[in-house]
């Protein structure tokens, strides 16, 4: 699915939570992206960091929605 389709499927954090449950991932860009109470974040090796998509991220068409990073593809 496209970047815009994947963004529309992400859930917002529940009240009192910092992050939503659903993440979007693309094999092309190799990033896990989710919604936080502060906006979009990308998962890093130690802590989520703010995410602003670049043209490469937006042009990827192989996004999927996951709940767990263990099931990457």
């Amino acid at each position: 699915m496209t970047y815009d389709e994947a963004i529309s499927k992400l859930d917002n954090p529940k009240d009192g939570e910092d992050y939503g449950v659903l993440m979007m991932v693309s094999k092309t860009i190799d990033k896990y992206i989710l919604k936080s109470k502060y906006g979009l974040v990308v998962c890093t090796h130690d802590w989520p960091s703010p995410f602003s998509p670049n043209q490469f991220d937006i042009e990827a068409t192989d996004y999927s929605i996951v709940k767990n990073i263990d099931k990457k593809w």
Side-chain angles (χ1 to χ4, degrees):
M1 76 181 70
T2 66
Y3 177 85
D4 290 332
E5 290 171 331
I7 287 286
S8 70
K9 295 180 185 289
L10 294 181
D11 59 332
N12 290 312
K14 294 181 181 177
D15 288 339
E17 297 289 326
D18 290 338
Y19 304 99
V21 174
L22 300 177
M23 296 175 276
M24 59 191 265
V25 62
S26 165
K27 190 174 186 177
T28 303
I29 65 168
D30 196 27
K31 294 178 186 172
Y32 287 92
I33 303 163
L34 66 154
K35 288 184 181 176
S36 78
K37 63 182 181 181
Y38 303 109
L40 290 178
V41 295
V42 63
C43 295
T44 63
H45 65 281
D46 58 350
W47 198 258
S49 53
F51 176 74
S52 294
N54 60 36
Q55 194 64 29
F56 187 67
D57 299 323
I58 293 170
E59 290 176 352
T61 58
D62 65 340
Y63 284 98
S64 59
I65 303 298
V66 296
K67 289 184 181 179
N68 186 326
I69 61 173
D70 290 338
K71 297 181 180 178
K72 192 171 188 175
W73 317 118

